[in-house]
Amino acid sequence: MKITDKAFYFLGFAIIAAMVVGILAYGAANGFEFSGADDQGGDAIAEIDPSYEPWWDGIWGSYELPGETESTLFALQAAIGAIIIGYIVGYFHAVDKARKGKLLKKQ
Amino acid sequence: MHIMEGYLPWQWCLVWFIIALPIVFFGIKKITQVIRENPEQKMIIALSGAFIFLLSSLKLPSVTGSSSHPTGTGLSAVLYGVSCTAFLATIVLVFQALLLAHGGITTLGANIFSMGIAGPAAAFFIWHALRRAKVGVPVSMFFAALVADLVTYIVTALQLTLAFGNATGYGTAFIDFMTIFAVTQIPLAFIEGIIFSMFAKYLADTRPQIFGLEPKCEEAASA
């Protein structure tokens, strides 16, 4: 059986959606908090080697960005990526359309 | 996979910088050369970089009860190789370290190595092995992106084991770090594989020359 293009994309999105919903539902049932793995890495270091002290706090020092601001900045990063992808896909689409139009005229 | 600021002894920071920086500089050189020789490639390079930007900002929940993010390096690794990807990943990691206090400047070398070099190198290898075995573009891309993601996190676990393993023994430390980073990452790597597979199919259908495929007859006629 050959999978059509539409079915391929539909299946892809469906699997991703099902996985995310499944993971969230599983997490809700188990009371998971879904904290960041990067932070957990830091906690694990403290556990494995309690004598280790982080030797630099970085340019922000101990100041932590408010949760809302951090989300905004993450959204900004995602937006930069998404805008570029959207622009290029749109550009490709327009070029193809123009080329097809020219071909039809020739015929 | 971001090792946080200050969480890597300075000797290890130095080691990873020494390994990563030459590859990043080589990547800058290679990208400039590609753009100079084929200006039309600029779009595809931007596209590969944009995927790293987009995907590495998405924090997704995983079955282990923590959340983590994909790396987005698959497309660039497959199309432009390891050094170019290392450069593109550096841009994203610097952005995150400076603006998001995510990752860090001191740990930048280690983070570039895991996300920009080790993961993409694995992807590059898998992609070429599968394409040589005549596996289709979407399937090859799926495995390349999945492996890029997973290997990135395995290498992060390795980096932390090397730095902290002598306290409790390397075996225990490795298992601990692998549980936090790599196991969490398995479902996310799968999702990333699907996303890239869909996009690779789109590219292979509309711009087959990107993957070195024969253009379709309609395009060939207009060329």
Side-chain angles (χ1 to χ4, degrees):
Chain A
M1 187 186 84
K2 192 155 167 38
I3 307 176
T4 60
D5 286 2
K6 263 189 196 150
F8 178 84
Y9 293 119
F10 178 78
L11 209 66
F13 285 117
I15 293 173
I16 293 173
M19 279 184 77
V20 173
V21 171
I23 290 169
L24 284 174
Y26 177 70
N30 288 283
F32 289 161
E33 284 177 8
F34 293 118
S35 61
D38 294 343
D39 296 338
Q40 288 189 359
D43 297 343
I45 291 170
E47 229 168 77
I48 286 172
D49 187 355
S51 65
Y52 183 77
E53 287 278 326
W55 55 283
W56 195 44
D57 275 343
I59 49 166
W60 295 97
S62 55
Y63 177 72
E64 271 205 25
L65 282 174
E68 288 78 8
T69 319
E70 199 184 303
S71 312
T72 310
L73 287 168
F74 266 106
L76 174 71
Q77 190 196 324
I80 294 173
I83 288 169
I84 297 175
I85 296 171
Y87 172 80
I88 294 174
V89 169
Y91 175 83
F92 280 173
H93 187 74
V95 168
D96 287 351
K97 221 172 165 187
R99 190 183 289 158
K100 225 175 242 171
K102 233 184 236 170
L103 266 180
L104 284 178
K105 248 187 215 165
K106 250 189 222 167
Q107 286 164 3
Chain B
M1 43 48 77
H2 298 85
I3 301 177
M4 293 190 294
E5 195 85 272
Y7 274 87
L8 206 59
W10 67 268
Q11 298 90 334
W12 280 108
C13 293
L14 200 68
V15 167
W16 296 117
F17 264 114
I18 291 171
I19 300 175
L21 279 186
I23 302 176
V24 172
F25 280 118
F26 187 71
I28 298 176
K29 234 176 108 181
K30 200 174 153 198
I31 284 190
T32 336
Q33 190 190 349
V34 169
I35 292 178
R36 197 177 302 137
E37 283 169 11
N38 307 291
E40 73 278 1
Q41 290 278 327
K42 223 187 271 178
M43 283 270 192
I44 311 293
I45 293 175
L47 195 63
S48 318
F51 263 101
I52 306 178
F53 249 83
L54 175 62
L55 288 179
S56 70
S57 74
L58 300 178
K59 269 196 182 171
L60 295 169
S62 179
V63 282
T64 50
S66 54
S67 61
S68 186
H69 37 78
T71 58
T73 50
L75 185 64
S76 138
V78 158
L79 294 180
Y80 297 104
V82 177
S83 62
C84 293
T85 312
F87 169 60
L88 295 173
T90 304
I91 301 174
V92 176
L93 288 169
V94 168
F95 179 93
Q96 290 184 329
L98 291 180
L99 282 175
L100 300 169
H102 204 71
I105 296 298
T106 55
T107 53
L108 189 63
N111 290 334
I112 294 173
F113 184 80
S114 61
M115 180 173 150
I117 297 169
F124 187 82
F125 177 77
I126 289 282
W127 166 264
H128 284 282
L130 288 175
R131 291 297 293 150
R132 208 163 296 146
K134 303 255 183 293
V135 178
V137 165
V139 176
S140 306
M141 193 69 217
F142 171 81
F143 284 105
L146 182 138
V147 162
D149 186 324
L150 215 51
V151 167
T152 298
Y153 282 81
I154 293 172
V155 168
T156 303
L158 267 174
Q159 287 173 323
L160 289 174
T161 306
L162 283 173
F164 296 101
N166 52 359
T168 51
Y170 288 92
T172 344
F174 185 61
I175 291 169
D176 279 357
F177 289 125
M178 278 294 277
T179 317
I180 291 172
F181 289 110
V183 178
T184 303
Q185 205 60 26
I186 294 171
L188 305 191
F190 198 80
I191 290 176
E192 178 164 3
I194 296 173
I195 293 174
F196 271 108
S197 173
M198 289 195 291
F199 199 76
K201 178 173 166 50
Y202 164 78
L203 280 181
D205 287 345
T206 56
R207 292 284 181 286
Q209 63 276 20
I210 290 175
F211 294 111
L213 301 170
E214 289 290 316
K216 287 182 185 152
C217 46
E218 182 188 291
E219 280 172 26
S222 67

